[in-house]
Amino acid sequence: MTIAIRQIRILDGLGHRIERGTLLIEGTRIQAVGPERDVRLPKGAQRIDGRGLTVLPGLIDCHVHFCLGAEADVVAAVEGESSSVTLLKAAELARRTLHAGFTTVRDVGFRDHAVFALKQAIESGLTPGPRILAAGLAICMPGGHARFIGREADGVEAVRAAVLDQLNAGAEVIKVIASGGVLTPGTSPDDAQMTVAELSAAVEVAVAHGRHVAAHAHGASGMKNALRAGVHSIEHATLMDDDAAEMMTQRHVYMVPTLSALATTAACPTGCGIPDSARSKARNMVKQHERSFRAALRRGVPIAMGTDAGTPFNYHGDNAQELERMVALGMTPMEAIMTSTSAAARLLGLIQDIGSIAAGKQADLLVVEGNPLRNIGVLLKRERIAGVMQRGRFVAGPLSGA
């Protein structure tokens, strides 16, 4: 089927817009895009009136955890349920994410390798959800942060073996833990975890298999260890210092800020169910996190959008709240959109196929009522989503019934 969406505002994900454009989709691909007068419609095309609507590339979240359900105490929740229940929960969370306009995500830590079964089920059409690039288990030091969704490894050879296990299971990205964290009791976000040698071993094995490495790092020392090891993205970058920012800029290493994770945890009042240690750590860091984001933006550090969805009260399906937070901290709406489209696609190595609206690209699209350049918040309002297209077919929103 050929679908023609006419007289629609087009934001191409690369910083350009067309106020009255036409988008032509044939099969799973975009066939043509341009101003209304420049795109000829073939006979028999299904025509959709796009007046009052805006179309963007399908959004991309570079940091989610489908095994976590945004419970107040996510560690207790995942440790208290069976792996089968976790997988069923993850399938529902994936559906919510897709229906919110996110057609691709990177899952950077699951409790086991069942995330690869979820990925396969989505790709085969068995269950709805976004394209998933999954890490499997995060690689951490013994007793380290994220061990509840991780593979503990001590020493270079153990790290190599742990990375190979994830790759053999189907990992398309490797996640390493370079600092302590918020949710794991007994770890300090400012302390480095894993040695440079261990982190370098993880990168060496991953790169040899054509995979990127994402490093969890809050503190500057952990960030710099990961950067020296050659990782491709720093997740959180909460306590970034000038040296770390300079290294990221020079090496073109992406910051995936996950502002929403600390913000939702820090905003939780006493007695909300989040463990006191996690709540205290988040509250102590949230302002510094905002300063680090502003500094990264000012210095030209590459930024790709990620939410850490699944952490306390950071709900899957509310992923677009991250765009609101980035705009509040100084990004333009267009820049924020680019972090979750073309920039994210570049980080994930998928820019040839997704992340922008252009002829030949896969037809993963989000259609919303209104203009997100005037109010980025429309992307977060489910009632404003007119349609989510995945591989050329509307799968959510009113347009899915057209």
Side-chain angles (χ1 to χ4, degrees), residues 186-219:
T187 69
S188 171
D190 200 36
D191 290 346
Q193 295 191 353
M194 299 184 67
T195 66
V196 175
E198 290 170 331
L199 294 166
S200 297
V203 172
E204 181 183 343
V205 175
V207 169
H209 289 79
R211 300 295 188 244
H212 283 183
V213 177
H216 160 102
H218 286 293

mmCIF file of all heavy atoms in Angstrom, residues 186-219:
data_model
loop_
_atom_site.group_PDB
_atom_site.id
_atom_site.type_symbol
_atom_site.label_atom_id
_atom_site.label_comp_id
_atom_site.label_asym_id
_atom_site.label_seq_id
_atom_site.Cartn_x
_atom_site.Cartn_y
_atom_site.Cartn_z
ATOM 1 N N GLY A 186 24.907 0.513 49.263
ATOM 2 C CA GLY A 186 26.315 0.349 49.576
ATOM 3 C C GLY A 186 27.282 0.803 48.512
ATOM 4 O O GLY A 186 28.487 0.566 48.638
ATOM 5 N N THR A 187 26.789 1.431 47.453
ATOM 6 C CA THR A 187 27.679 1.965 46.427
ATOM 7 C C THR A 187 27.544 3.477 46.370
ATOM 8 O O THR A 187 26.461 4.019 46.545
ATOM 9 C CB THR A 187 27.384 1.381 45.036
ATOM 10 O OG1 THR A 187 26.114 1.862 44.564
ATOM 11 C CG2 THR A 187 27.341 -0.141 45.084
ATOM 12 N N SER A 188 28.658 4.150 46.105
ATOM 13 C CA SER A 188 28.667 5.603 46.016
ATOM 14 C C SER A 188 28.787 6.026 44.557
ATOM 15 O O SER A 188 29.713 5.588 43.856
ATOM 16 C CB SER A 188 29.832 6.195 46.807
ATOM 17 O OG SER A 188 29.965 7.582 46.546
ATOM 18 N N PRO A 189 27.893 6.875 44.062
ATOM 19 C CA PRO A 189 27.959 7.305 42.665
ATOM 20 C C PRO A 189 29.279 7.981 42.303
ATOM 21 O O PRO A 189 29.680 7.964 41.133
ATOM 22 C CB PRO A 189 26.792 8.288 42.538
ATOM 23 C CG PRO A 189 25.836 7.880 43.616
ATOM 24 C CD PRO A 189 26.699 7.414 44.748
ATOM 25 N N ASP A 190 29.964 8.554 43.290
ATOM 26 C CA ASP A 190 31.208 9.279 43.014
ATOM 27 C C ASP A 190 32.414 8.358 42.906
ATOM 28 O O ASP A 190 33.464 8.773 42.423
ATOM 29 C CB ASP A 190 31.443 10.323 44.115
ATOM 30 C CG ASP A 190 32.397 11.423 43.670
ATOM 31 O OD1 ASP A 190 32.337 11.791 42.477
ATOM 32 O OD2 ASP A 190 33.197 11.886 44.491
ATOM 33 N N ASP A 191 32.286 7.114 43.347
ATOM 34 C CA ASP A 191 33.415 6.184 43.346
ATOM 35 C C ASP A 191 33.514 5.435 42.020
ATOM 36 O O ASP A 191 32.506 4.946 41.492
ATOM 37 C CB ASP A 191 33.284 5.169 44.477
ATOM 38 C CG ASP A 191 33.494 5.794 45.848
ATOM 39 O OD1 ASP A 191 33.991 6.936 45.903
ATOM 40 O OD2 ASP A 191 33.127 5.161 46.852
ATOM 41 N N ALA A 192 34.740 5.324 41.511
ATOM 42 C CA ALA A 192 34.969 4.542 40.297
ATOM 43 C C ALA A 192 34.816 3.057 40.597
ATOM 44 O O ALA A 192 35.156 2.587 41.692
ATOM 45 C CB ALA A 192 36.359 4.832 39.743
ATOM 46 N N GLN A 193 34.303 2.316 39.635
ATOM 47 C CA GLN A 193 34.209 0.866 39.718
ATOM 48 C C GLN A 193 34.710 0.284 38.400
ATOM 49 O O GLN A 193 34.528 0.869 37.340
ATOM 50 C CB GLN A 193 32.768 0.422 39.982
ATOM 51 C CG GLN A 193 32.240 0.874 41.338
ATOM 52 C CD GLN A 193 30.924 0.204 41.709
ATOM 53 O OE1 GLN A 193 30.306 -0.510 40.920
ATOM 54 N NE2 GLN A 193 30.483 0.441 42.934
ATOM 55 N N MET A 194 35.330 -0.870 38.475
ATOM 56 C CA MET A 194 36.056 -1.518 37.383
ATOM 57 C C MET A 194 37.302 -0.701 37.062
ATOM 58 O O MET A 194 37.300 0.526 37.119
ATOM 59 C CB MET A 194 35.198 -1.732 36.129
ATOM 60 C CG MET A 194 33.987 -2.626 36.342
ATOM 61 S SD MET A 194 33.034 -2.980 34.823
ATOM 62 C CE MET A 194 34.197 -3.970 33.864
ATOM 63 N N THR A 195 38.368 -1.384 36.738
ATOM 64 C CA THR A 195 39.638 -0.733 36.424
ATOM 65 C C THR A 195 39.669 -0.332 34.953
ATOM 66 O O THR A 195 38.875 -0.829 34.135
ATOM 67 C CB THR A 195 40.818 -1.668 36.700
ATOM 68 O OG1 THR A 195 40.750 -2.782 35.786
ATOM 69 C CG2 THR A 195 40.786 -2.188 38.140
ATOM 70 N N VAL A 196 40.614 0.527 34.613
ATOM 71 C CA VAL A 196 40.781 0.905 33.205
ATOM 72 C C VAL A 196 41.109 -0.333 32.373
ATOM 73 O O VAL A 196 40.620 -0.486 31.244
ATOM 74 C CB VAL A 196 41.869 1.981 33.050
ATOM 75 C CG1 VAL A 196 42.127 2.273 31.576
ATOM 76 C CG2 VAL A 196 41.465 3.262 33.768
ATOM 77 N N ALA A 197 41.919 -1.217 32.919
ATOM 78 C CA ALA A 197 42.276 -2.439 32.186
ATOM 79 C C ALA A 197 41.040 -3.296 31.923
ATOM 80 O O ALA A 197 40.873 -3.857 30.825
ATOM 81 C CB ALA A 197 43.325 -3.235 32.963
ATOM 82 N N GLU A 198 40.177 -3.430 32.927
ATOM 83 C CA GLU A 198 38.949 -4.223 32.748
ATOM 84 C C GLU A 198 38.017 -3.566 31.731
ATOM 85 O O GLU A 198 37.453 -4.239 30.853
ATOM 86 C CB GLU A 198 38.249 -4.392 34.092
ATOM 87 C CG GLU A 198 38.990 -5.309 35.056
ATOM 88 C CD GLU A 198 38.404 -5.276 36.461
ATOM 89 O OE1 GLU A 198 37.830 -4.236 36.862
ATOM 90 O OE2 GLU A 198 38.517 -6.288 37.168
ATOM 91 N N LEU A 199 37.857 -2.262 31.842
ATOM 92 C CA LEU A 199 36.996 -1.550 30.901
ATOM 93 C C LEU A 199 37.559 -1.641 29.482
ATOM 94 O O LEU A 199 36.811 -1.819 28.511
ATOM 95 C CB LEU A 199 36.855 -0.083 31.323
ATOM 96 C CG LEU A 199 36.120 0.155 32.655
ATOM 97 C CD1 LEU A 199 36.338 1.585 33.136
ATOM 98 C CD2 LEU A 199 34.626 -0.126 32.502
ATOM 99 N N SER A 200 38.882 -1.531 29.363
ATOM 100 C CA SER A 200 39.520 -1.638 28.050
ATOM 101 C C SER A 200 39.311 -3.020 27.445
ATOM 102 O O SER A 200 39.106 -3.161 26.222
ATOM 103 C CB SER A 200 41.012 -1.332 28.152
ATOM 104 O OG SER A 200 41.236 -0.009 28.584
ATOM 105 N N ALA A 201 39.342 -4.037 28.285
ATOM 106 C CA ALA A 201 39.120 -5.400 27.795
ATOM 107 C C ALA A 201 37.704 -5.544 27.253
ATOM 108 O O ALA A 201 37.485 -6.184 26.216
ATOM 109 C CB ALA A 201 39.372 -6.400 28.919
ATOM 110 N N ALA A 202 36.744 -4.957 27.958
ATOM 111 C CA ALA A 202 35.356 -5.008 27.493
ATOM 112 C C ALA A 202 35.212 -4.328 26.133
ATOM 113 O O ALA A 202 34.555 -4.849 25.221
ATOM 114 C CB ALA A 202 34.435 -4.353 28.517
ATOM 115 N N VAL A 203 35.838 -3.169 25.986
ATOM 116 C CA VAL A 203 35.768 -2.437 24.715
ATOM 117 C C VAL A 203 36.438 -3.235 23.604
ATOM 118 O O VAL A 203 35.912 -3.339 22.485
ATOM 119 C CB VAL A 203 36.413 -1.047 24.862
ATOM 120 C CG1 VAL A 203 36.528 -0.365 23.495
ATOM 121 C CG2 VAL A 203 35.620 -0.175 25.832
ATOM 122 N N GLU A 204 37.601 -3.807 23.893
ATOM 123 C CA GLU A 204 38.344 -4.558 22.874
ATOM 124 C C GLU A 204 37.512 -5.711 22.324
ATOM 125 O O GLU A 204 37.432 -5.918 21.103
ATOM 126 C CB GLU A 204 39.647 -5.082 23.469
ATOM 127 C CG GLU A 204 40.506 -5.849 22.480
ATOM 128 C CD GLU A 204 41.760 -6.410 23.121
ATOM 129 O OE1 GLU A 204 42.136 -5.944 24.223
ATOM 130 O OE2 GLU A 204 42.372 -7.319 22.527
ATOM 131 N N VAL A 205 36.886 -6.472 23.218
ATOM 132 C CA VAL A 205 36.087 -7.622 22.780
ATOM 133 C C VAL A 205 34.860 -7.153 22.005
ATOM 134 O O VAL A 205 34.524 -7.699 20.943
ATOM 135 C CB VAL A 205 35.675 -8.489 23.985
ATOM 136 C CG1 VAL A 205 34.742 -9.610 23.535
ATOM 137 C CG2 VAL A 205 36.905 -9.068 24.673
ATOM 138 N N ALA A 206 34.188 -6.126 22.535
ATOM 139 C CA ALA A 206 32.984 -5.630 21.869
ATOM 140 C C ALA A 206 33.291 -5.104 20.473
ATOM 141 O O ALA A 206 32.606 -5.447 19.495
ATOM 142 C CB ALA A 206 32.332 -4.538 22.723
ATOM 143 N N VAL A 207 34.314 -4.280 20.364
ATOM 144 C CA VAL A 207 34.658 -3.680 19.064
ATOM 145 C C VAL A 207 35.078 -4.752 18.071
ATOM 146 O O VAL A 207 34.768 -4.665 16.868
ATOM 147 C CB VAL A 207 35.749 -2.607 19.251
ATOM 148 C CG1 VAL A 207 36.312 -2.165 17.904
ATOM 149 C CG2 VAL A 207 35.193 -1.405 20.010
ATOM 150 N N ALA A 208 35.771 -5.771 18.554
ATOM 151 C CA ALA A 208 36.167 -6.864 17.668
ATOM 152 C C ALA A 208 34.963 -7.571 17.062
ATOM 153 O O ALA A 208 35.068 -8.196 16.005
ATOM 154 C CB ALA A 208 37.029 -7.873 18.440
ATOM 155 N N HIS A 209 33.809 -7.462 17.742
ATOM 156 C CA HIS A 209 32.570 -8.065 17.244
ATOM 157 C C HIS A 209 31.620 -7.013 16.664
ATOM 158 O O HIS A 209 30.429 -7.282 16.475
ATOM 159 C CB HIS A 209 31.884 -8.839 18.369
ATOM 160 C CG HIS A 209 32.597 -10.103 18.757
ATOM 161 N ND1 HIS A 209 33.724 -10.101 19.563
ATOM 162 C CD2 HIS A 209 32.355 -11.405 18.439
ATOM 163 C CE1 HIS A 209 34.139 -11.347 19.730
ATOM 164 N NE2 HIS A 209 33.341 -12.153 19.061
ATOM 165 N N GLY A 210 32.140 -5.824 16.400
ATOM 166 C CA GLY A 210 31.329 -4.791 15.769
ATOM 167 C C GLY A 210 30.289 -4.164 16.664
ATOM 168 O O GLY A 210 29.277 -3.641 16.177
ATOM 169 N N ARG A 211 30.528 -4.168 17.982
ATOM 170 C CA ARG A 211 29.552 -3.638 18.927
ATOM 171 C C ARG A 211 30.117 -2.439 19.683
ATOM 172 O O ARG A 211 31.321 -2.329 19.910
ATOM 173 C CB ARG A 211 29.140 -4.714 19.942
ATOM 174 C CG ARG A 211 28.504 -5.952 19.314
ATOM 175 C CD ARG A 211 27.185 -5.616 18.649
ATOM 176 N NE ARG A 211 26.452 -6.795 18.201
ATOM 177 C CZ ARG A 211 26.183 -7.072 16.932
ATOM 178 N NH1 ARG A 211 26.628 -6.264 15.979
ATOM 179 N NH2 ARG A 211 25.488 -8.150 16.614
ATOM 180 N N HIS A 212 29.225 -1.551 20.095
ATOM 181 C CA HIS A 212 29.600 -0.400 20.904
ATOM 182 C C HIS A 212 29.495 -0.730 22.388
ATOM 183 O O HIS A 212 28.843 -1.711 22.783
ATOM 184 C CB HIS A 212 28.686 0.789 20.590
ATOM 185 C CG HIS A 212 29.026 1.484 19.304
ATOM 186 N ND1 HIS A 212 28.366 2.601 18.865
ATOM 187 C CD2 HIS A 212 29.980 1.217 18.367
ATOM 188 C CE1 HIS A 212 28.877 3.001 17.716
ATOM 189 N NE2 HIS A 212 29.854 2.173 17.396
ATOM 190 N N VAL A 213 30.112 0.123 23.206
ATOM 191 C CA VAL A 213 30.083 -0.041 24.661
ATOM 192 C C VAL A 213 29.506 1.219 25.292
ATOM 193 O O VAL A 213 29.951 2.331 25.008
ATOM 194 C CB VAL A 213 31.490 -0.317 25.224
ATOM 195 C CG1 VAL A 213 31.446 -0.403 26.755
ATOM 196 C CG2 VAL A 213 32.050 -1.604 24.639
ATOM 197 N N ALA A 214 28.506 1.022 26.142
ATOM 198 C CA ALA A 214 27.904 2.105 26.922
ATOM 199 C C ALA A 214 28.368 1.955 28.364
ATOM 200 O O ALA A 214 28.302 0.858 28.930
ATOM 201 C CB ALA A 214 26.379 2.030 26.859
ATOM 202 N N ALA A 215 28.849 3.048 28.952
ATOM 203 C CA ALA A 215 29.374 2.996 30.319
ATOM 204 C C ALA A 215 28.496 3.795 31.270
ATOM 205 O O ALA A 215 28.337 5.010 31.100
ATOM 206 C CB ALA A 215 30.800 3.537 30.358
ATOM 207 N N HIS A 216 27.932 3.106 32.254
ATOM 208 C CA HIS A 216 27.299 3.812 33.373
ATOM 209 C C HIS A 216 28.401 4.516 34.156
ATOM 210 O O HIS A 216 29.383 3.896 34.570
ATOM 211 C CB HIS A 216 26.579 2.812 34.274
ATOM 212 C CG HIS A 216 26.316 3.327 35.660
ATOM 213 N ND1 HIS A 216 25.087 3.786 36.064
ATOM 214 C CD2 HIS A 216 27.143 3.455 36.747
ATOM 215 C CE1 HIS A 216 25.168 4.188 37.332
ATOM 216 N NE2 HIS A 216 26.403 3.989 37.761
ATOM 217 N N ALA A 217 28.257 5.832 34.341
ATOM 218 C CA ALA A 217 29.231 6.574 35.150
ATOM 219 C C ALA A 217 28.596 7.861 35.653
ATOM 220 O O ALA A 217 28.217 8.724 34.854
ATOM 221 C CB ALA A 217 30.487 6.884 34.355
ATOM 222 N N HIS A 218 28.472 7.974 36.958
ATOM 223 C CA HIS A 218 28.025 9.217 37.584
ATOM 224 C C HIS A 218 29.217 10.127 37.867
ATOM 225 O O HIS A 218 29.228 11.295 37.504
ATOM 226 C CB HIS A 218 27.291 8.929 38.893
ATOM 227 C CG HIS A 218 25.917 8.366 38.725
ATOM 228 N ND1 HIS A 218 24.887 9.088 38.176
ATOM 229 C CD2 HIS A 218 25.406 7.150 39.064
ATOM 230 C CE1 HIS A 218 23.793 8.346 38.174
ATOM 231 N NE2 HIS A 218 24.078 7.169 38.701
ATOM 232 N N GLY A 219 30.218 9.602 38.571
ATOM 233 C CA GLY A 219 31.351 10.402 39.016
ATOM 234 C C GLY A 219 32.364 10.655 37.921
ATOM 235 O O GLY A 219 32.500 9.868 36.966
#
